[in-house]
Amino acid sequence: MRIGKRLIDGAVWSFSAKVIALLAGLFTTTLLTRMLPLPEMGVYFLAASVIKISSVVGQFGLGRVGVRRVSEALARSGVEMAARIGMSTIRIGLLGAMLVALLIHQLIIPWAAQTMPAAAGLEQVRNPVTLMIIAAALVAIVSQVQRGFHNMRMSSLFGGAVGPVLVVLSYVAILQLGVPISLGLVMLVTATVGVFTAVLAFTFLYPQLRGYRQVEPVKTRQLIEDAWPFWVASIGSLVIGQSDIWIVAAARSPDEVANYGAAVRLLVLAALPTAVVTSTVQSTVSDLHARGQSGKIERVLRMSNIFATLPTVAILVAIVSLPGSWMGVGLGERHRNGAGGLA
């Protein structure tokens, strides 16, 4: 496949997967905020935060390294070396995720449940949370290795869209069967879908990894040395993005944690224009750069910033102007008290 066509194809698939994932996540939040009691909803948001933080920490930055090293090996050394690097990346990442998940299961969740009243419910769901940490880390690494093999379709689907869509379909099936939705059931469904997605993603990748035994093993130290800067950067980003809900959990009631978490989830609407524009413009910029047309790149970037900023500002103004209405209509009347946090 030509580079230009590959970039365009990748941008289309990445864009589609991001939009689907955002909409599916928003639908799930809207549904659960209407079905779960406020304290359980607060625990759900805290559990989601634990999964996100722990899965990223458990990857040790190997996802970023995997896509680069696999792509380089594919171009310079052949499919077998790329397969060896991909398999080594997945194995090390899986081991790291399992160690972090064990630490979370045995130490962090019990400590949080004892010290924060709003997090007490985490003790009841720590088994599915542990499974989700491992599954989320594996899906992330496998999708990046897929990207290294230039399989943008599978990378985009499993890296973003498949899991959220399967969760939505599971909840629809549960509602059709008339089964009462509880926090335990929600976490069980989430963990089951996560594990299934991880297994399915690896199954689709494995044919490209079959030749990994034909070359010498890759030194683990080399991968770790390449990965740790990405790991540190990821942790810094997580501290900025996830610390707020834990501050609320430490200082406020379970109901207030639920309202704050719901407000933050609703703000995903404001991120949609930026995600769409970013995914769309990537291939154009790469193509213009290859042609040496730097002037057109500047114009494209200026226009893309305008197209991303204007709808984002409009959404934020609408939310800040009528936060109570957005919370009530989007997430249910019980969450109107979270309007202050949303604003």
Side-chain angles (χ1 to χ4, degrees):
M1 183 183 293
R2 293 173 50 196
I3 293 178
K5 189 175 185 303
R6 182 191 299 158
L7 289 171
I8 294 173
D9 184 68
V12 171
W13 279 93
S14 178
F15 156 72
S16 303
K18 285 182 179 180
V19 172
I20 291 171
L22 285 171
L23 294 178
L26 187 60
F27 175 85
T28 299
T29 300
T30 302
L31 174 65
L32 294 182
T33 52
R34 286 171 164 80
M35 303 297 293
L36 292 178
L38 283 177
E40 290 190 359
M41 201 65 216
V43 174
Y44 171 80
F45 289 130
L46 291 175
S49 179
V50 170
I51 293 168
K52 184 172 184 178
I53 294 172
S54 304
S55 63
V56 172
V57 172
Q59 293 174 49
F60 290 108
L62 289 166
R64 299 279 188 88
V65 171
V67 64
R68 179 174 64 84
R69 293 287 299 271
V70 168
S71 183
E72 290 176 354
L74 199 61
R76 299 176 182 176
S77 307
V79 177
E80 290 78 13
M81 179 55 72
R84 168 59 75 178
I85 293 174
M87 182 62 81
S88 298
T89 301
I90 293 171
R91 284 177 172 174
I92 299 169
L94 180 60
L95 178 60
M98 292 173 67
L99 291 175
V100 171
L102 181 62
L103 177 65
I104 295 297
H105 184 276
Q106 295 297 114
L107 296 177
I108 303 301
I109 288 181
W111 172 81
Q114 291 177 4
T115 57
M116 303 178 191
L122 285 175
E123 187 73 37
Q124 302 173 8
V125 296
R126 61 175 175 169
N127 289 335
V129 166
T130 302
L131 286 176
M132 267 305 301
I133 292 171
I134 299 172
L138 181 59
V139 167
I141 294 175
V142 168
S143 66
Q144 291 297 330
V145 172
Q146 285 275 25
R147 193 178 296 270
F149 279 105
H150 306 305
N151 194 342
M152 299 299 296
R153 297 180 181 182
M154 292 296 102
S155 175
S156 300
L157 287 174
F158 288 111
V162 171
V165 169
L166 289 178
V167 168
V168 169
L169 293 177
S170 299
Y171 289 144
V172 171
I174 289 171
L175 290 176
Q176 289 295 322
L177 294 173
V179 178
I181 292 182
S182 63
L183 178 62
L185 179 60
V186 167
M187 297 309 301
L188 178 61
V189 168
T190 304
T192 302
V193 169
V195 172
F196 176 76
T197 304
V199 172
L200 195 62
F202 183 77
T203 301
F204 274 90
L205 175 63
Y206 186 73
Q208 295 174 292
L209 301 177
R210 285 177 179 173
Y212 77 94
R213 292 189 179 92
Q214 299 178 19
V215 295
E216 293 294 322
V218 179
K219 292 183 179 180
T220 301
R221 181 176 178 180
Q222 292 179 345
L223 292 176
I224 297 297
E225 287 178 351
D226 288 347
W228 76 262
F230 297 108
W231 185 58
V232 173
S234 299
I235 292 177
S237 177
L238 284 172
V239 170
I240 295 173
Q242 297 293 318
S243 59
D244 53 347
I245 193 167
W246 290 99
I247 293 173
V248 175
R252 312 299 293 185
S253 68
D255 288 5
E256 290 173 298
V257 174
N259 286 327
Y260 181 82
V264 171
R265 288 294 183 93
L266 190 59
L267 284 176
V268 73
L269 287 172
L272 185 58
T274 301
V276 170
V277 171
T278 300
S279 298
T280 305
V281 80
Q282 285 177 343
S283 60
T284 303
V285 171
S286 299
D287 184 61
L288 292 175
H289 178 72
R291 298 167 186 261
Q293 299 176 348
S294 57
K296 287 188 177 180
I297 291 177
E298 293 178 2
R299 289 195 292 273
V300 167
L301 291 178
R302 282 195 294 267
M303 291 301 297
S304 64
N305 285 333
I306 293 173
F307 284 123
T309 302
L310 290 180
T312 299
V313 171
I315 292 172
L316 289 175
V317 169
I319 291 175
V320 172
S321 300
L322 298 168
S325 298
W326 281 85
M327 292 292 288
V329 173
L331 301 174
E333 292 299 322
R334 296 180 305 166
H335 289 277
R336 279 188 178 271
N337 292 332
L342 181 61

